[in-house]
Amino acid sequence: MSGESLVAVLVLLPVATAAASLAIKDERLRRLLIILPSGALIAASVLLLVQVLENGPLTFTPSGHWDSLILIIELVLLAYFVYVGVVRKHLLVLGLGATQLVLFALFKFAWLPSGFKVQPAFHIDLLAVIMCLVISVTGSLIVMYALNYMQSHERHLKLGATRQHVFFFFLVGFLGAMNGVVFANSLLWFFLFWELTTLCCYHLIRHDLTEEAEQSGLRALWMNLVGGLALVAGMSLAYQASGSLSLLDLTGFGTVAPVMLLPLALFCFAGFTKAAQVPFQSWLLGAMVAPTPVSALLHSSTMVKAGVYLVLRLAPGYEGTYLSAGIAVFGAFVFMITSVLAISQNVSKRVLAYSTISSLGLIICCAGINTGLAIAAAIALIIYHAVVKGVLFLAVGIMEQSIHSRDIEDMEGLVTRLPALAGMAIIGMVVMLFVPFGVLFAKWAALQAAAAAPTVWFSLVVAFLVIGSAAGIVFWVRWIGRLMSHTAAGAGAPEAAPPEAEPRGSLSYLVVAGLLAGGVVLSVLAAPLVSYLINPAGAAMGYSPALDTAGWHLKTSFGFFTPWVLFVVIGAALLLPALLVRVRTEDIRPVYLCGEHQASSAGGPVFTSLGDQAVLLATGGFYWSRVFGERSLNVWVNGAGIALLAALFVGVIV
Amino acid sequence: MSLTELLIGLAALVLAPFVGGFLRGVDRRITARMQGRIGPPVRQPFYDFLKLWGKAPSLPNRASLVWVWGYLLLTMVTVFMLFVGQDLLIIFFVLAFAAACLAFGAYSVRSPYAHIGAHRELLQMLSYEPILLLTVVAIFLQTGTFMVSGVLEHGQPLLLTLPLAFVAVLVALGIKLRKSPFDISASEHAHQELVRGVYTEYSGRTLALIELAHWYQLVLILAFVALFWAQPLWAGVLLALGAYFLEFVVDNVTARVRWTWMLSISWGKGVGLVLLNIVLIQFVFSSARV
């Protein structure tokens, strides 16, 4: 298949599938209709990778009246946002939508010469293909998971008429819009796909139509419209300064004139809103009211990744400028502060949301550091984060349906209740957190890049990075600890999980296991991944490859490690004891309770407390919310975020 | 990795427990003298180890034993990596995994005392991790490398240009060695609300394993301190021993603090000092910037 038709498949097939799923009411048929194109999508993205690896970047403009069609859809879409503002009586949405519509119409019809075309419409380099792989593979797997999930979700909600067809319309369509975002070179086309992701996101968040869901959807909408407005303003300024609306011209490998900095800053700002960076984090936190596949999709492969993609895509354009340093400091700050905020959270999805925002902050920080090593770290982080965050969200989704709670406190001892699922979640968190897995490799590269950065601000960036990564240890380890905590057989024996508690062969379990296996395998193969994909992707953006992978080491100019050796050593250190250690049942003793034991009851160990009352043993997590909580920190966090953004813009303008 | 490096690493793995145990014995002896007691013989930690090893097993569950083994083996990995001259960042990342294993072991048992200890262990990691990593970056700025082997080749003593970072490392050292005023997670001297924190559920052989891991860890941390005056080596050893002695003194003249205070000391003063040192390197000793 030619590159052009692959692109057509990747963008249009999800849209067509989405349209079909809207029309088809029969559940079994829809299942088939969604699973088959998902496979095609994955295959197409792999074929596209092969093409681009062989022939270099794919650059073309589809023939036909696409420009007019896209313009029409764009105007309809913006008008729809205004309509939402009117119907929902939401002034912010109304105002932002109307301003955007008027500005865009003025720009398009009064400013741009009629028949203005951006050549080429698509430019697909390796970075775009990597993004496309992340979107198509992770995204398709999440869609498959959703097939099972939504059935039980609707059963649980006891809906009269199913709304699954609407759900899958937006869920599958999302993938097409995302692929469009990463392929587009023409900013006019890019803008359409960007706004389409906003639209899909809004509808998916409000899917359950509860009051809370509606409010969260509207919040996501207005915050992303702020970004859209920045995009329109950036487009006008970019056109005024350079007469071009092509991303290729805009980045131009570091040869950008100072007048272009403001549009670039506006584009990056749009990226920050989409990536839910401080002070826009609340829309992503609110988005967790949506069914879990939505959260998984928003957090791992789509939506927020569009934001960091834009910042990363533009990185060669602002290399070595004040803007670059400002972005590095801002991203590092977000990385740190959202990790710290996550310590105070006891709701699993909020912990995951904060950790997503924090990882995105790290990616943005890497784009701001803007050296070959930093860009490699950013791309690696995009890949690993997408896979692992997908695993964690999907696992939490199943847990929520089993134990009817998303509170980490209620997940105590899940290793005995849902062993397979808890095991996968624990491994996923370990992959997020510890060496030798991929996320840590990216963090290692980011720290080295920050330490070797040419900007004088690097010391601040490094300080933010080290505090943020220490905070990450706290909330992940504590969560793993809650999952693992159990009493051994003999002392208040935990009932072993009945086999029917976990449908291990079901599609959703297979998806989680498959994604997790992918994350682990990619971590073991970090060196080849860098040498075949990440280094060439950086080189295609104009950066000199900074990671030497000869002999399967990962080597920078300042340090190195060998992932597979670490895997063998650390794996042996943890697995050998797990396999070899034997404990005799008669050596098992009840836990220490100040010597005030009573006999175990059915619910577990009991001890004697005040007034000789028998009290059931209980343990709980500490969340230290007085120190790390949102209530005490949010004012400062948002204030600092706004101040940093203001400093960024003031510096760029002056 | 050359054959010599490999042999040095293996030798370190064999010798570290003896050095670590001996230093612990010295610690107990000197501490006793400071408190007006005679104290145990210097060999006492080895006697304790053997006694613990010979006890009849008594465990809350199997998982905790597995995690303790993980804690010991991963700590040994870090010692090996340091002595063969590997990447300092990776060494500290592995060390974090090892420390987490101790917390996992405590969490895996449904025991209130162990859980409080594990939570506080996390707070200790939250406190010392940033100092250690930031110091590694400061060392990088002076030597141009993250590799221990590269730092050893650096001619000039690091202490001369990184004095403030060194002070911060002393704070981290105190937290990592669980000395007063930072013994909040395991309390050397049993405190009521903690009993023995993360160690509560360990006894006999598992406790012996933890003790062994601590000896390795002591050697690791002191070796890191010695990097501040790597050439000649005896100066580094003296520096490390001096730092260790300072920890005894502080241990004996201070009382245990609240965790918020520990965090404000380590993030505020500790991280602040390293940052200040980095800024000094850049602007005052700017010629040394690589």
Side-chain angles (χ1 to χ4, degrees):
Chain A
M1 251 209 274
S2 72
E4 282 88 342
S5 38
L6 283 177
V7 170
V9 167
L10 284 163
V11 178
L12 296 180
L13 181 68
V15 177
T17 314
S21 89
L22 191 60
I24 295 173
K25 291 279 162 54
D26 180 61
E27 204 158 308
R28 290 233 300 282
L29 195 58
R30 185 176 334 111
R31 235 180 136 82
L32 200 65
L33 193 100
I34 286 172
I35 290 181
L36 289 180
S38 296
L41 213 57
I42 295 175
S45 60
V46 174
L47 284 177
L48 187 67
L49 172 70
V50 174
Q51 286 244 338
V52 171
L53 276 179
E54 275 177 7
N55 309 332
L58 182 67
T59 301
F60 72 100
T61 310
S63 52
H65 297 287
W66 288 104
D67 273 298
S68 340
L69 182 66
I70 278 183
L71 178 65
I72 294 169
I73 305 179
E74 237 155 25
L75 291 172
V76 171
L77 191 58
L78 291 177
Y80 176 74
F81 289 147
V82 177
Y83 165 78
V84 169
V86 173
V87 173
R88 300 262 152 243
K89 300 194 181 61
H90 200 285
L91 275 181
L92 268 171
V93 171
L94 176 62
L96 288 164
T99 321
Q100 203 167 325
L101 179 61
V102 171
L103 256 184
F104 180 73
L106 272 178
F107 173 60
K108 180 70 188 124
F109 296 111
W111 202 339
L112 282 183
S114 66
F116 180 85
K117 275 195 169 194
V118 184
Q119 302 276 4
F122 288 118
H123 174 80
I124 298 154
D125 61 359
L126 256 184
L127 175 64
V129 178
I130 291 175
M131 287 296 298
C132 168
L133 274 169
V134 167
I135 295 159
S136 307
V137 178
T138 323
S140 299
L141 286 175
I142 293 172
V143 170
M144 288 188 206
Y145 167 95
L147 290 172
N148 271 17
Y149 183 92
M150 288 311 285
Q151 269 180 350
S152 31
H153 181 72
E154 294 206 330
R155 214 178 308 131
H156 182 62
L157 286 184
K158 301 186 182 68
L159 282 189
T162 175
R163 294 191 63 246
Q164 283 192 43
H165 53 291
V166 185
F167 182 80
F168 282 104
F169 173 72
F170 287 111
L171 199 69
V172 181
F174 212 143
L175 301 182
M178 272 304 292
N179 277 334
V181 165
V182 298
F183 290 158
N185 176 58
S186 159
L187 275 170
L188 291 169
W189 292 39
F190 179 88
F191 180 59
L192 169 75
F193 293 123
W194 183 270
E195 296 295 82
L196 278 177
T197 61
T198 302
L199 174 81
C200 292
C201 174
Y202 164 66
H203 276 284
L204 287 172
I205 294 177
R206 71 185 278 268
H207 176 76
D208 283 345
L209 299 180
T210 58
E211 181 56 29
E212 195 192 358
E214 295 276 10
Q215 288 308 319
S216 301
L218 285 171
R219 191 182 318 134
L221 185 57
W222 80 254
M223 285 191 170
N224 278 296
L225 284 178
V226 173
L229 199 57
L231 213 52
V232 178
M235 276 200 289
S236 332
L237 287 172
Y239 179 71
Q240 185 198 24
S242 68
S244 164
L245 283 178
S246 147
L247 275 172
L248 272 176
D249 296 342
L250 211 60
T251 50
F253 293 179
T255 51
V256 162
V259 283
M260 290 302 286
L261 269 189
L262 184 57
L264 282 176
L266 282 167
F267 290 142
C268 289
F269 177 78
F272 297 161
T273 58
K274 199 131 248 180
Q277 299 293 288
V278 172
F280 299 103
Q281 75 275 37
S282 59
W283 80 255
L284 193 61
L285 292 166
M288 68 173 196
V289 300
T292 297
V294 175
S295 314
L297 202 63
L298 293 185
H299 285 260
S300 70
S301 54
T302 63
M303 197 65 187
V304 294
K305 287 282 155 58
V308 291
Y309 165 78
L310 181 60
V311 178
L312 192 58
R313 162 64 70 212
L314 296 173
Y318 52 76
E319 191 182 350
T321 63
Y322 169 86
L323 177 61
S324 194
I327 289 175
V329 174
F330 175 76
F333 170 75
V334 174
F335 171 70
M336 172 188 74
I337 204 66
T338 46
S339 289
V340 170
L341 280 169
I343 294 178
S344 68
Q345 301 300 314
N346 62 327
V347 178
S348 55
K349 278 185 155 185
R350 281 183 87 85
V351 173
L352 290 180
Y354 271 123
S355 114
T356 299
I357 301 169
S358 150
S359 298
L360 300 170
L362 184 56
I363 299 171
I364 287 171
C365 167
C366 287
I369 295 169
N370 224 331
T371 57
L373 184 58
I375 298 296
I379 299 175
L381 204 53
I382 287 183
I383 300 173
Y384 290 118
H385 178 260
V387 175
V388 184
K389 205 35 92 51
V391 171
L392 292 179
F393 260 109
L394 299 183
V396 164
I398 305 181
M399 286 178 195
E400 194 183 341
Q401 287 189 335
S402 313
I403 64 173
H404 306 294
S405 166
R406 48 175 68 161
D407 194 327
I408 292 176
E409 287 302 286
D410 297 330
M411 295 182 183
E412 181 177 13
L414 271 193
V415 279
T416 51
R417 285 186 279 163
L418 303 167
L421 188 63
M424 290 194 286
I426 289 172
I427 297 173
M429 290 183 212
V430 168
V431 174
M432 267 314 262
L433 185 59
F434 289 122
V435 81
F437 293 102
V439 177
L440 234 284
F441 145 62
K443 232 177 237 179
W444 169 79
L447 258 178
Q448 297 211 345
T455 130
V456 291
W457 290 104
F458 87 92
S459 40
L460 204 54
V461 171
V462 176
F464 287 157
L465 290 188
V466 293
I467 293 180
S469 70
I473 297 177
V474 175
F475 65 82
W476 288 123
V477 171
R478 180 186 55 204
W479 189 353
I480 297 176
R482 296 299 295 161
L483 289 174
M484 290 195 314
S485 151
H486 71 286
T487 13
E495 61 285 21
E500 65 272 16
E502 295 197 299
R504 290 182 201 170
S506 74
L507 190 57
S508 24
Y509 268 77
L510 290 180
V511 166
V512 180
L515 268 178
L516 183 60
V520 174
V521 169
L522 282 179
S523 299
V524 180
L525 299 180
L529 185 73
V530 167
S531 68
Y532 290 112
L533 280 186
I534 295 176
N535 268 344
M541 291 169 73
Y543 295 94
S544 52
L547 278 161
D548 177 7
T549 56
W552 282 43
H553 303 305
L554 283 171
K555 190 168 187 206
T556 67
S557 326
F558 334 104
F560 89 97
F561 74 105
T562 320
W564 69 268
V565 173
L566 272 187
F567 262 100
V568 171
V569 173
I570 293 180
L574 294 177
L575 291 181
L576 284 184
L579 294 174
L580 297 180
V581 165
R582 292 270 176 277
V583 174
R584 290 178 305 174
T585 324
E586 61 264 34
D587 295 337
I588 302 277
R589 298 279 184 280
V591 299
Y592 177 77
L593 292 170
C594 266
E596 297 285 354
H597 273 287
Q598 293 192 348
S600 294
S601 78
V606 172
F607 66 101
T608 311
S609 182
L610 286 176
D612 286 341
Q613 294 291 309
V615 174
L616 199 62
L617 178 149
T619 58
F622 286 170
Y623 296 89
W624 303 291
S625 52
R626 197 171 50 81
V627 176
F628 302 119
E630 287 168 337
R631 191 180 289 181
S632 48
L633 286 185
N634 254 359
V635 179
W636 304 102
V637 171
N638 290 333
I642 293 170
L644 280 174
L645 284 177
L648 201 136
F649 274 101
V650 168
V652 165
I653 294 169
V654 180
Chain B
M1 199 189 303
S2 69
L3 188 66
T4 0
E5 278 179 326
L6 190 69
L7 287 178
I8 293 177
L10 291 178
L13 280 188
V14 175
L15 294 179
F18 296 100
V19 177
F22 172 74
L23 285 174
R24 276 289 292 156
V26 173
D27 175 1
R28 286 172 66 174
R29 183 80 170 207
I30 294 181
T31 299
R33 289 294 159 89
M34 284 180 183
Q35 296 168 348
R37 296 183 283 121
I38 295 181
V42 171
R43 299 181 300 278
Q44 190 63 38
F46 298 105
Y47 294 152
D48 290 351
F49 179 85
L50 292 175
K51 187 185 76 182
L52 286 172
W53 193 260
K55 292 239 173 201
S58 154
L59 289 162
N61 63 17
R62 180 171 174 272
S64 63
L65 181 55
V66 171
W67 285 116
V68 166
W69 272 106
Y71 175 51
L72 171 66
L73 293 175
L74 284 184
T75 312
M76 288 169 69
V77 170
T78 59
V79 171
F80 180 79
M81 287 176 77
L82 189 94
F83 280 90
V84 298
Q86 294 290 299
D87 191 313
L88 272 171
L89 284 177
I90 298 290
I91 293 174
F92 282 129
F93 288 156
V94 179
L95 189 66
F97 202 167
C101 283
L102 186 63
F104 287 150
Y107 275 126
S108 70
V109 188
R110 196 157 172 273
S111 151
Y113 291 107
H115 277 218
I116 292 180
H119 278 108
R120 293 196 182 179
E121 182 72 18
L122 294 183
L123 289 175
Q124 295 208 349
M125 291 173 79
L126 186 62
S127 302
Y128 68 72
E129 278 278 321
I131 298 181
L132 291 182
L133 290 180
L134 205 56
T135 305
V136 171
V137 170
I139 291 177
F140 162 76
L141 291 177
Q142 281 302 296
T143 60
T145 177
F146 285 98
M147 307 297 291
V148 175
S149 51
V151 176
L152 286 175
E153 282 160 20
H154 187 68
Q156 203 190 11
L158 288 170
L159 185 61
L160 299 182
T161 42
L162 299 174
L164 302 178
F166 185 74
V167 174
V169 167
L170 291 182
V171 175
L173 185 68
I175 304 175
K176 189 75 195 155
L177 297 180
R178 304 157 207 284
K179 294 282 188 195
S180 259
F182 304 118
D183 55 343
I184 67 159
S185 84
S187 72
E188 278 306 298
H189 321 283
H191 295 278
Q192 265 191 344
E193 93 285 13
L194 261 182
V195 185
R196 280 289 270 148
V198 273
Y199 309 139
T200 306
E201 295 302 335
Y202 297 123
S203 60
R205 217 170 261 198
T206 44
L207 208 51
L209 289 174
I210 290 179
E211 203 51 39
L212 186 60
H214 283 173
W215 296 345
Y216 275 109
Q217 196 179 297
L218 180 61
V219 170
L220 178 88
I221 299 283
L222 292 183
F224 178 64
V225 173
L227 284 184
F228 277 83
W229 205 303
Q231 279 183 352
L233 202 57
W234 58 265
V237 172
L238 276 185
L239 187 67
L241 292 179
Y244 193 42
F245 180 75
L246 193 63
E247 294 300 334
F248 306 159
V249 178
V250 175
D251 186 31
N252 277 298
V253 298
T254 52
R256 197 169 59 128
V257 298
R258 290 175 60 83
W259 69 268
T260 40
W261 195 76
M262 173 179 74
L263 201 62
S264 68
I265 292 253
S266 66
W267 280 16
K269 305 214 170 57
V271 172
L273 278 174
V274 191
L275 261 185
L276 187 62
N277 208 150
I278 288 179
V279 172
L280 277 181
I281 300 172
Q282 286 204 290
F283 294 103
V284 183
F285 319 118
S286 52
S287 57
R289 172 103 166 84
V290 189

